[in-house]
Amino acid sequence: MTDDLPDQAAPFPGTLGQSACADLPGVVAQSGVTALPALFADEGRVRAFAAVALGADSAAEVGRAAGLTSMETAAALRRLREHGVVTSGDDGGLVVAHERFGELARAGRPAAETAGRTGADDRAGLIVRTFVKDGRLVRLPARWTRKKVVLRHIAEQTFTPGAEYPERTVDEKLRAWCDDGDVDRVTLRRYLVDLDHLRRSGGTYWRPDQSVRAGIA
């Protein structure tokens, strides 16, 4: 059986005050990837940031831990806040904005890598649209690589990671995909278990988190 299927980085998020731009020439035009190293070119800011990372949650504690005067501490924290790498936690204390570094890492990915990922997503979407119509699985692809894409889609759309389901519920959910199709729910369930999209213990099934499934195709 054959398958009927046609074979500059983003600016760093956050706003920069005019005073920050004065000390960092051209920072408005810089991407986050280049602006952040410029921020940490100043030793006082590095020491202040390290103090916050190690648990200092107030300007006074940062100054003591970093060995900075109150004026130096205030200036360093102001720049760190303007660049979004230090913020206030739920209790009002200073904390490192870890999510900001995630944004920077994403912004710093090469354009080719981003384009490749987008192309892969488009390809997966085309495969799913070919074999899934109106929420029903028409049939499974003959090619194993395409079959895995479709099965992953079904798992992600049907089961919540970490939630436990009795076998009867799993079968009911999968039956909805199999109506008027060529694949029965038992075969579909077996494929999902074999590919680790579902795990089972006794009569209970659950979909593992992606972090747990790391490294599994």
Side-chain angles (χ1 to χ4, degrees), residues 111-148:
E113 177 185 335
T114 303
R117 184 177 64 253
T118 302
D121 291 343
D122 291 344
R123 180 70 171 172
L126 177 59
I127 293 171
V128 169
R129 290 191 298 273
T130 300
F131 297 98
V132 176
K133 304 291 186 182
D134 299 323
R136 298 291 187 271
L137 176 63
V138 178
R139 59 186 173 86
L140 282 173
R143 295 188 186 181
W144 183 241
T145 53
R146 294 175 182 175
K147 186 177 297 182
K148 289 194 293 185

PDB file of all heavy atoms in Angstrom, residues 111-148:
ATOM      1  N   ALA A 111      18.612  31.157  11.965  1.00  0.00           N
ATOM      2  CA  ALA A 111      17.409  31.221  11.132  1.00  0.00           C
ATOM      3  C   ALA A 111      17.161  29.908  10.412  1.00  0.00           C
ATOM      4  O   ALA A 111      16.039  29.465  10.240  1.00  0.00           O
ATOM      5  CB  ALA A 111      17.536  32.363  10.131  1.00  0.00           C
ATOM      6  N   ALA A 112      18.240  29.266   9.992  1.00  0.00           N
ATOM      7  CA  ALA A 112      18.095  28.004   9.258  1.00  0.00           C
ATOM      8  C   ALA A 112      17.466  26.940  10.140  1.00  0.00           C
ATOM      9  O   ALA A 112      16.642  26.146   9.696  1.00  0.00           O
ATOM     10  CB  ALA A 112      19.455  27.532   8.752  1.00  0.00           C
ATOM     11  N   GLU A 113      17.847  26.939  11.431  1.00  0.00           N
ATOM     12  CA  GLU A 113      17.289  25.951  12.353  1.00  0.00           C
ATOM     13  C   GLU A 113      15.802  26.196  12.539  1.00  0.00           C
ATOM     14  O   GLU A 113      14.989  25.274  12.539  1.00  0.00           O
ATOM     15  CB  GLU A 113      17.999  26.037  13.697  1.00  0.00           C
ATOM     16  CG  GLU A 113      17.442  25.088  14.748  1.00  0.00           C
ATOM     17  CD  GLU A 113      18.087  25.285  16.106  1.00  0.00           C
ATOM     18  OE1 GLU A 113      19.221  25.780  16.142  1.00  0.00           O
ATOM     19  OE2 GLU A 113      17.448  24.942  17.115  1.00  0.00           O
ATOM     20  N   THR A 114      15.431  27.499  12.697  1.00  0.00           N
ATOM     21  CA  THR A 114      14.031  27.837  12.870  1.00  0.00           C
ATOM     22  C   THR A 114      13.230  27.474  11.634  1.00  0.00           C
ATOM     23  O   THR A 114      12.130  26.934  11.712  1.00  0.00           O
ATOM     24  CB  THR A 114      13.888  29.343  13.157  1.00  0.00           C
ATOM     25  OG1 THR A 114      14.662  29.662  14.317  1.00  0.00           O
ATOM     26  CG2 THR A 114      12.435  29.727  13.390  1.00  0.00           C
ATOM     27  N   ALA A 115      13.809  27.775  10.460  1.00  0.00           N
ATOM     28  CA  ALA A 115      13.119  27.443   9.212  1.00  0.00           C
ATOM     29  C   ALA A 115      12.947  25.944   9.067  1.00  0.00           C
ATOM     30  O   ALA A 115      11.915  25.456   8.614  1.00  0.00           O
ATOM     31  CB  ALA A 115      13.904  28.005   8.028  1.00  0.00           C
ATOM     32  N   GLY A 116      13.966  25.187   9.473  1.00  0.00           N
ATOM     33  CA  GLY A 116      13.874  23.734   9.380  1.00  0.00           C
ATOM     34  C   GLY A 116      12.791  23.178  10.267  1.00  0.00           C
ATOM     35  O   GLY A 116      12.058  22.270   9.884  1.00  0.00           O
ATOM     36  N   ARG A 117      12.666  23.753  11.476  1.00  0.00           N
ATOM     37  CA  ARG A 117      11.637  23.281  12.388  1.00  0.00           C
ATOM     38  C   ARG A 117      10.251  23.613  11.839  1.00  0.00           C
ATOM     39  O   ARG A 117       9.316  22.805  11.909  1.00  0.00           O
ATOM     40  CB  ARG A 117      11.823  23.927  13.764  1.00  0.00           C
ATOM     41  CG  ARG A 117      10.843  23.400  14.811  1.00  0.00           C
ATOM     42  CD  ARG A 117      11.096  24.003  16.183  1.00  0.00           C
ATOM     43  NE  ARG A 117      10.874  25.418  16.195  1.00  0.00           N
ATOM     44  CZ  ARG A 117      11.838  26.328  16.264  1.00  0.00           C
ATOM     45  NH1 ARG A 117      13.094  25.964  16.301  1.00  0.00           N
ATOM     46  NH2 ARG A 117      11.564  27.625  16.287  1.00  0.00           N
ATOM     47  N   THR A 118      10.106  24.842  11.269  1.00  0.00           N
ATOM     48  CA  THR A 118       8.826  25.234  10.695  1.00  0.00           C
ATOM     49  C   THR A 118       8.452  24.323   9.539  1.00  0.00           C
ATOM     50  O   THR A 118       7.311  23.904   9.389  1.00  0.00           O
ATOM     51  CB  THR A 118       8.888  26.697  10.216  1.00  0.00           C
ATOM     52  OG1 THR A 118       9.221  27.532  11.319  1.00  0.00           O
ATOM     53  CG2 THR A 118       7.567  27.135   9.624  1.00  0.00           C
ATOM     54  N   GLY A 119       9.458  23.996   8.703  1.00  0.00           N
ATOM     55  CA  GLY A 119       9.198  23.095   7.587  1.00  0.00           C
ATOM     56  C   GLY A 119       8.761  21.725   8.060  1.00  0.00           C
ATOM     57  O   GLY A 119       7.853  21.118   7.486  1.00  0.00           O
ATOM     58  N   ALA A 120       9.368  21.244   9.131  1.00  0.00           N
ATOM     59  CA  ALA A 120       8.999  19.938   9.676  1.00  0.00           C
ATOM     60  C   ALA A 120       7.576  19.968  10.221  1.00  0.00           C
ATOM     61  O   ALA A 120       6.808  19.016  10.055  1.00  0.00           O
ATOM     62  CB  ALA A 120       9.984  19.532  10.776  1.00  0.00           C
ATOM     63  N   ASP A 121       7.208  21.086  10.884  1.00  0.00           N
ATOM     64  CA  ASP A 121       5.850  21.213  11.409  1.00  0.00           C
ATOM     65  C   ASP A 121       4.834  21.224  10.278  1.00  0.00           C
ATOM     66  O   ASP A 121       3.759  20.619  10.376  1.00  0.00           O
ATOM     67  CB  ASP A 121       5.728  22.498  12.238  1.00  0.00           C
ATOM     68  CG  ASP A 121       6.523  22.426  13.531  1.00  0.00           C
ATOM     69  OD1 ASP A 121       6.881  21.305  13.935  1.00  0.00           O
ATOM     70  OD2 ASP A 121       6.793  23.485  14.120  1.00  0.00           O
ATOM     71  N   ASP A 122       5.159  21.938   9.188  1.00  0.00           N
ATOM     72  CA  ASP A 122       4.252  21.983   8.041  1.00  0.00           C
ATOM     73  C   ASP A 122       4.088  20.594   7.436  1.00  0.00           C
ATOM     74  O   ASP A 122       2.993  20.204   7.029  1.00  0.00           O
ATOM     75  CB  ASP A 122       4.785  22.953   6.986  1.00  0.00           C
ATOM     76  CG  ASP A 122       4.714  24.399   7.449  1.00  0.00           C
ATOM     77  OD1 ASP A 122       3.985  24.670   8.424  1.00  0.00           O
ATOM     78  OD2 ASP A 122       5.386  25.243   6.842  1.00  0.00           O
ATOM     79  N   ARG A 123       5.189  19.867   7.354  1.00  0.00           N
ATOM     80  CA  ARG A 123       5.146  18.523   6.789  1.00  0.00           C
ATOM     81  C   ARG A 123       4.273  17.609   7.646  1.00  0.00           C
ATOM     82  O   ARG A 123       3.460  16.841   7.125  1.00  0.00           O
ATOM     83  CB  ARG A 123       6.577  17.972   6.723  1.00  0.00           C
ATOM     84  CG  ARG A 123       6.684  16.564   6.152  1.00  0.00           C
ATOM     85  CD  ARG A 123       6.401  16.527   4.691  1.00  0.00           C
ATOM     86  NE  ARG A 123       6.706  15.235   4.109  1.00  0.00           N
ATOM     87  CZ  ARG A 123       6.393  14.898   2.870  1.00  0.00           C
ATOM     88  NH1 ARG A 123       5.773  15.758   2.083  1.00  0.00           N
ATOM     89  NH2 ARG A 123       6.698  13.699   2.408  1.00  0.00           N
ATOM     90  N   ALA A 124       4.439  17.714   8.967  1.00  0.00           N
ATOM     91  CA  ALA A 124       3.624  16.893   9.865  1.00  0.00           C
ATOM     92  C   ALA A 124       2.148  17.235   9.718  1.00  0.00           C
ATOM     93  O   ALA A 124       1.286  16.345   9.710  1.00  0.00           O
ATOM     94  CB  ALA A 124       4.072  17.088  11.310  1.00  0.00           C
ATOM     95  N   GLY A 125       1.850  18.524   9.586  1.00  0.00           N
ATOM     96  CA  GLY A 125       0.466  18.927   9.423  1.00  0.00           C
ATOM     97  C   GLY A 125      -0.147  18.371   8.146  1.00  0.00           C
ATOM     98  O   GLY A 125      -1.310  17.957   8.123  1.00  0.00           O
ATOM     99  N   LEU A 126       0.644  18.347   7.085  1.00  0.00           N
ATOM    100  CA  LEU A 126       0.162  17.794   5.819  1.00  0.00           C
ATOM    101  C   LEU A 126      -0.125  16.303   5.949  1.00  0.00           C
ATOM    102  O   LEU A 126      -1.134  15.804   5.438  1.00  0.00           O
ATOM    103  CB  LEU A 126       1.204  18.033   4.723  1.00  0.00           C
ATOM    104  CG  LEU A 126       0.889  17.452   3.333  1.00  0.00           C
ATOM    105  CD1 LEU A 126      -0.418  18.023   2.806  1.00  0.00           C
ATOM    106  CD2 LEU A 126       2.035  17.739   2.366  1.00  0.00           C
ATOM    107  N   ILE A 127       0.746  15.598   6.644  1.00  0.00           N
ATOM    108  CA  ILE A 127       0.542  14.160   6.852  1.00  0.00           C
ATOM    109  C   ILE A 127      -0.743  13.918   7.633  1.00  0.00           C
ATOM    110  O   ILE A 127      -1.562  13.074   7.271  1.00  0.00           O
ATOM    111  CB  ILE A 127       1.752  13.548   7.592  1.00  0.00           C
ATOM    112  CG1 ILE A 127       2.997  13.581   6.696  1.00  0.00           C
ATOM    113  CG2 ILE A 127       1.449  12.114   8.026  1.00  0.00           C
ATOM    114  CD1 ILE A 127       4.274  13.192   7.411  1.00  0.00           C
ATOM    115  N   VAL A 128      -0.929  14.679   8.705  1.00  0.00           N
ATOM    116  CA  VAL A 128      -2.130  14.495   9.530  1.00  0.00           C
ATOM    117  C   VAL A 128      -3.388  14.788   8.720  1.00  0.00           C
ATOM    118  O   VAL A 128      -4.364  14.030   8.763  1.00  0.00           O
ATOM    119  CB  VAL A 128      -2.066  15.394  10.782  1.00  0.00           C
ATOM    120  CG1 VAL A 128      -3.415  15.405  11.504  1.00  0.00           C
ATOM    121  CG2 VAL A 128      -0.969  14.916  11.722  1.00  0.00           C
ATOM    122  N   ARG A 129      -3.379  15.865   7.952  1.00  0.00           N
ATOM    123  CA  ARG A 129      -4.573  16.227   7.177  1.00  0.00           C
ATOM    124  C   ARG A 129      -4.896  15.190   6.110  1.00  0.00           C
ATOM    125  O   ARG A 129      -6.066  15.041   5.705  1.00  0.00           O
ATOM    126  CB  ARG A 129      -4.376  17.594   6.527  1.00  0.00           C
ATOM    127  CG  ARG A 129      -4.376  18.751   7.514  1.00  0.00           C
ATOM    128  CD  ARG A 129      -4.455  20.082   6.812  1.00  0.00           C
ATOM    129  NE  ARG A 129      -3.318  20.338   5.951  1.00  0.00           N
ATOM    130  CZ  ARG A 129      -2.176  20.894   6.368  1.00  0.00           C
ATOM    131  NH1 ARG A 129      -2.035  21.221   7.645  1.00  0.00           N
ATOM    132  NH2 ARG A 129      -1.192  21.113   5.526  1.00  0.00           N
ATOM    133  N   THR A 130      -3.884  14.463   5.666  1.00  0.00           N
ATOM    134  CA  THR A 130      -4.105  13.439   4.651  1.00  0.00           C
ATOM    135  C   THR A 130      -4.812  12.220   5.217  1.00  0.00           C
ATOM    136  O   THR A 130      -5.670  11.620   4.557  1.00  0.00           O
ATOM    137  CB  THR A 130      -2.764  13.009   4.027  1.00  0.00           C
ATOM    138  OG1 THR A 130      -2.138  14.155   3.419  1.00  0.00           O
ATOM    139  CG2 THR A 130      -2.963  11.931   2.971  1.00  0.00           C
ATOM    140  N   PHE A 131      -4.493  11.852   6.447  1.00  0.00           N
ATOM    141  CA  PHE A 131      -5.004  10.604   7.016  1.00  0.00           C
ATOM    142  C   PHE A 131      -6.070  10.790   8.090  1.00  0.00           C
ATOM    143  O   PHE A 131      -6.661   9.815   8.549  1.00  0.00           O
ATOM    144  CB  PHE A 131      -3.839   9.770   7.558  1.00  0.00           C
ATOM    145  CG  PHE A 131      -2.868   9.358   6.492  1.00  0.00           C
ATOM    146  CD1 PHE A 131      -1.696  10.073   6.285  1.00  0.00           C
ATOM    147  CD2 PHE A 131      -3.138   8.276   5.671  1.00  0.00           C
ATOM    148  CE1 PHE A 131      -0.801   9.703   5.280  1.00  0.00           C
ATOM    149  CE2 PHE A 131      -2.256   7.902   4.670  1.00  0.00           C
ATOM    150  CZ  PHE A 131      -1.088   8.614   4.468  1.00  0.00           C
ATOM    151  N   VAL A 132      -6.284  12.035   8.504  1.00  0.00           N
ATOM    152  CA  VAL A 132      -7.325  12.330   9.486  1.00  0.00           C
ATOM    153  C   VAL A 132      -8.294  13.322   8.868  1.00  0.00           C
ATOM    154  O   VAL A 132      -7.904  14.421   8.482  1.00  0.00           O
ATOM    155  CB  VAL A 132      -6.724  12.906  10.787  1.00  0.00           C
ATOM    156  CG1 VAL A 132      -7.836  13.303  11.752  1.00  0.00           C
ATOM    157  CG2 VAL A 132      -5.793  11.890  11.444  1.00  0.00           C
ATOM    158  N   LYS A 133      -9.558  12.933   8.761  1.00  0.00           N
ATOM    159  CA  LYS A 133     -10.588  13.783   8.169  1.00  0.00           C
ATOM    160  C   LYS A 133     -11.722  13.978   9.167  1.00  0.00           C
ATOM    161  O   LYS A 133     -12.295  13.015   9.670  1.00  0.00           O
ATOM    162  CB  LYS A 133     -11.153  13.138   6.893  1.00  0.00           C
ATOM    163  CG  LYS A 133     -10.110  12.805   5.827  1.00  0.00           C
ATOM    164  CD  LYS A 133      -9.527  14.049   5.193  1.00  0.00           C
ATOM    165  CE  LYS A 133      -8.603  13.696   4.026  1.00  0.00           C
ATOM    166  NZ  LYS A 133      -7.969  14.888   3.421  1.00  0.00           N
ATOM    167  N   ASP A 134     -12.026  15.252   9.456  1.00  0.00           N
ATOM    168  CA  ASP A 134     -13.149  15.562  10.357  1.00  0.00           C
ATOM    169  C   ASP A 134     -13.042  14.825  11.688  1.00  0.00           C
ATOM    170  O   ASP A 134     -14.039  14.322  12.229  1.00  0.00           O
ATOM    171  CB  ASP A 134     -14.478  15.216   9.691  1.00  0.00           C
ATOM    172  CG  ASP A 134     -14.710  16.014   8.411  1.00  0.00           C
ATOM    173  OD1 ASP A 134     -14.321  17.195   8.389  1.00  0.00           O
ATOM    174  OD2 ASP A 134     -15.260  15.443   7.457  1.00  0.00           O
ATOM    175  N   GLY A 135     -11.823  14.747  12.224  1.00  0.00           N
ATOM    176  CA  GLY A 135     -11.641  14.102  13.519  1.00  0.00           C
ATOM    177  C   GLY A 135     -11.713  12.597  13.488  1.00  0.00           C
ATOM    178  O   GLY A 135     -11.797  11.959  14.540  1.00  0.00           O
ATOM    179  N   ARG A 136     -11.641  12.000  12.311  1.00  0.00           N
ATOM    180  CA  ARG A 136     -11.684  10.545  12.167  1.00  0.00           C
ATOM    181  C   ARG A 136     -10.432  10.071  11.451  1.00  0.00           C
ATOM    182  O   ARG A 136      -9.967  10.695  10.502  1.00  0.00           O
ATOM    183  CB  ARG A 136     -12.918  10.110  11.359  1.00  0.00           C
ATOM    184  CG  ARG A 136     -14.250  10.472  11.983  1.00  0.00           C
ATOM    185  CD  ARG A 136     -14.509   9.664  13.244  1.00  0.00           C
ATOM    186  NE  ARG A 136     -15.840   9.869  13.772  1.00  0.00           N
ATOM    187  CZ  ARG A 136     -16.161  10.826  14.635  1.00  0.00           C
ATOM    188  NH1 ARG A 136     -15.229  11.659  15.063  1.00  0.00           N
ATOM    189  NH2 ARG A 136     -17.398  10.949  15.078  1.00  0.00           N
ATOM    190  N   LEU A 137      -9.896   8.964  11.915  1.00  0.00           N
ATOM    191  CA  LEU A 137      -8.731   8.357  11.278  1.00  0.00           C
ATOM    192  C   LEU A 137      -9.207   7.545  10.074  1.00  0.00           C
ATOM    193  O   LEU A 137      -9.853   6.505  10.235  1.00  0.00           O
ATOM    194  CB  LEU A 137      -7.988   7.461  12.270  1.00  0.00           C
ATOM    195  CG  LEU A 137      -6.785   6.682  11.725  1.00  0.00           C
ATOM    196  CD1 LEU A 137      -5.693   7.633  11.245  1.00  0.00           C
ATOM    197  CD2 LEU A 137      -6.230   5.749  12.796  1.00  0.00           C
ATOM    198  N   VAL A 138      -8.892   8.021   8.869  1.00  0.00           N
ATOM    199  CA  VAL A 138      -9.308   7.323   7.662  1.00  0.00           C
ATOM    200  C   VAL A 138      -8.571   5.992   7.556  1.00  0.00           C
ATOM    201  O   VAL A 138      -9.166   4.935   7.352  1.00  0.00           O
ATOM    202  CB  VAL A 138      -9.042   8.187   6.418  1.00  0.00           C
ATOM    203  CG1 VAL A 138      -9.437   7.441   5.148  1.00  0.00           C
ATOM    204  CG2 VAL A 138      -9.782   9.516   6.524  1.00  0.00           C
ATOM    205  N   ARG A 139      -7.274   6.054   7.716  1.00  0.00           N
ATOM    206  CA  ARG A 139      -6.430   4.859   7.741  1.00  0.00           C
ATOM    207  C   ARG A 139      -5.057   5.287   8.223  1.00  0.00           C
ATOM    208  O   ARG A 139      -4.733   6.475   8.244  1.00  0.00           O
ATOM    209  CB  ARG A 139      -6.320   4.210   6.360  1.00  0.00           C
ATOM    210  CG  ARG A 139      -5.734   5.101   5.271  1.00  0.00           C
ATOM    211  CD  ARG A 139      -5.796   4.414   3.904  1.00  0.00           C
ATOM    212  NE  ARG A 139      -5.402   5.303   2.826  1.00  0.00           N
ATOM    213  CZ  ARG A 139      -4.150   5.496   2.431  1.00  0.00           C
ATOM    214  NH1 ARG A 139      -3.161   4.854   3.035  1.00  0.00           N
ATOM    215  NH2 ARG A 139      -3.882   6.317   1.433  1.00  0.00           N
ATOM    216  N   LEU A 140      -4.254   4.329   8.607  1.00  0.00           N
ATOM    217  CA  LEU A 140      -2.889   4.626   9.011  1.00  0.00           C
ATOM    218  C   LEU A 140      -1.974   4.581   7.787  1.00  0.00           C
ATOM    219  O   LEU A 140      -2.149   3.733   6.912  1.00  0.00           O
ATOM    220  CB  LEU A 140      -2.405   3.615  10.053  1.00  0.00           C
ATOM    221  CG  LEU A 140      -2.909   3.822  11.479  1.00  0.00           C
ATOM    222  CD1 LEU A 140      -2.479   2.660  12.362  1.00  0.00           C
ATOM    223  CD2 LEU A 140      -2.382   5.141  12.052  1.00  0.00           C
ATOM    224  N   PRO A 141      -0.995   5.474   7.728  1.00  0.00           N
ATOM    225  CA  PRO A 141      -0.059   5.449   6.597  1.00  0.00           C
ATOM    226  C   PRO A 141       0.708   4.130   6.555  1.00  0.00           C
ATOM    227  O   PRO A 141       0.942   3.493   7.585  1.00  0.00           O
ATOM    228  CB  PRO A 141       0.892   6.617   6.900  1.00  0.00           C
ATOM    229  CG  PRO A 141       0.168   7.472   7.882  1.00  0.00           C
ATOM    230  CD  PRO A 141      -0.695   6.548   8.675  1.00  0.00           C
ATOM    231  N   ALA A 142       1.113   3.745   5.371  1.00  0.00           N
ATOM    232  CA  ALA A 142       1.915   2.532   5.233  1.00  0.00           C
ATOM    233  C   ALA A 142       3.347   2.774   5.692  1.00  0.00           C
ATOM    234  O   ALA A 142       3.979   1.900   6.286  1.00  0.00           O
ATOM    235  CB  ALA A 142       1.890   2.055   3.777  1.00  0.00           C
ATOM    236  N   ARG A 143       3.854   3.977   5.434  1.00  0.00           N
ATOM    237  CA  ARG A 143       5.229   4.289   5.839  1.00  0.00           C
ATOM    238  C   ARG A 143       5.285   4.513   7.345  1.00  0.00           C
ATOM    239  O   ARG A 143       4.490   5.263   7.908  1.00  0.00           O
ATOM    240  CB  ARG A 143       5.738   5.527   5.104  1.00  0.00           C
ATOM    241  CG  ARG A 143       5.865   5.342   3.601  1.00  0.00           C
ATOM    242  CD  ARG A 143       6.553   6.525   2.985  1.00  0.00           C
ATOM    243  NE  ARG A 143       6.559   6.450   1.537  1.00  0.00           N
ATOM    244  CZ  ARG A 143       7.125   7.359   0.752  1.00  0.00           C
ATOM    245  NH1 ARG A 143       7.718   8.424   1.292  1.00  0.00           N
ATOM    246  NH2 ARG A 143       7.088   7.228  -0.561  1.00  0.00           N
ATOM    247  N   TRP A 144       6.272   3.893   7.981  1.00  0.00           N
ATOM    248  CA  TRP A 144       6.365   3.935   9.433  1.00  0.00           C
ATOM    249  C   TRP A 144       6.598   5.348   9.955  1.00  0.00           C
ATOM    250  O   TRP A 144       6.027   5.746  10.970  1.00  0.00           O
ATOM    251  CB  TRP A 144       7.477   3.002   9.901  1.00  0.00           C
ATOM    252  CG  TRP A 144       7.609   2.907  11.390  1.00  0.00           C
ATOM    253  CD1 TRP A 144       8.682   3.233  12.142  1.00  0.00           C
ATOM    254  CD2 TRP A 144       6.610   2.456  12.315  1.00  0.00           C
ATOM    255  NE1 TRP A 144       8.431   3.020  13.480  1.00  0.00           N
ATOM    256  CE2 TRP A 144       7.165   2.541  13.609  1.00  0.00           C
ATOM    257  CE3 TRP A 144       5.299   1.987  12.168  1.00  0.00           C
ATOM    258  CZ2 TRP A 144       6.454   2.175  14.749  1.00  0.00           C
ATOM    259  CZ3 TRP A 144       4.594   1.630  13.314  1.00  0.00           C
ATOM    260  CH2 TRP A 144       5.176   1.735  14.577  1.00  0.00           C
ATOM    261  N   THR A 145       7.404   6.153   9.264  1.00  0.00           N
ATOM    262  CA  THR A 145       7.673   7.514   9.735  1.00  0.00           C
ATOM    263  C   THR A 145       6.397   8.348   9.731  1.00  0.00           C
ATOM    264  O   THR A 145       6.152   9.130  10.652  1.00  0.00           O
ATOM    265  CB  THR A 145       8.744   8.187   8.868  1.00  0.00           C
ATOM    266  OG1 THR A 145       8.350   8.107   7.484  1.00  0.00           O
ATOM    267  CG2 THR A 145      10.097   7.523   9.056  1.00  0.00           C
ATOM    268  N   ARG A 146       5.571   8.167   8.713  1.00  0.00           N
ATOM    269  CA  ARG A 146       4.319   8.910   8.650  1.00  0.00           C
ATOM    270  C   ARG A 146       3.308   8.366   9.661  1.00  0.00           C
ATOM    271  O   ARG A 146       2.515   9.109  10.246  1.00  0.00           O
ATOM    272  CB  ARG A 146       3.743   8.843   7.234  1.00  0.00           C
ATOM    273  CG  ARG A 146       4.606   9.564   6.218  1.00  0.00           C
ATOM    274  CD  ARG A 146       4.091   9.379   4.803  1.00  0.00           C
ATOM    275  NE  ARG A 146       4.961  10.033   3.844  1.00  0.00           N
ATOM    276  CZ  ARG A 146       4.813   9.955   2.522  1.00  0.00           C
ATOM    277  NH1 ARG A 146       3.820   9.230   2.022  1.00  0.00           N
ATOM    278  NH2 ARG A 146       5.644  10.575   1.711  1.00  0.00           N
ATOM    279  N   LYS A 147       3.359   7.077   9.858  1.00  0.00           N
ATOM    280  CA  LYS A 147       2.463   6.453  10.836  1.00  0.00           C
ATOM    281  C   LYS A 147       2.727   7.029  12.229  1.00  0.00           C
ATOM    282  O   LYS A 147       1.793   7.312  12.992  1.00  0.00           O
ATOM    283  CB  LYS A 147       2.666   4.942  10.829  1.00  0.00           C
ATOM    284  CG  LYS A 147       1.691   4.163  11.701  1.00  0.00           C
ATOM    285  CD  LYS A 147       1.932   2.663  11.555  1.00  0.00           C
ATOM    286  CE  LYS A 147       1.681   2.208  10.121  1.00  0.00           C
ATOM    287  NZ  LYS A 147       1.858   0.742   9.964  1.00  0.00           N
ATOM    288  N   LYS A 148       3.996   7.236  12.561  1.00  0.00           N
ATOM    289  CA  LYS A 148       4.340   7.783  13.876  1.00  0.00           C
ATOM    290  C   LYS A 148       3.812   9.206  14.036  1.00  0.00           C
ATOM    291  O   LYS A 148       3.393   9.599  15.128  1.00  0.00           O
ATOM    292  CB  LYS A 148       5.857   7.734  14.081  1.00  0.00           C
ATOM    293  CG  LYS A 148       6.397   6.324  14.277  1.00  0.00           C
ATOM    294  CD  LYS A 148       7.816   6.328  14.819  1.00  0.00           C
ATOM    295  CE  LYS A 148       8.814   6.885  13.834  1.00  0.00           C
ATOM    296  NZ  LYS A 148      10.201   6.766  14.346  1.00  0.00           N
TER     297      LYS A 148
END
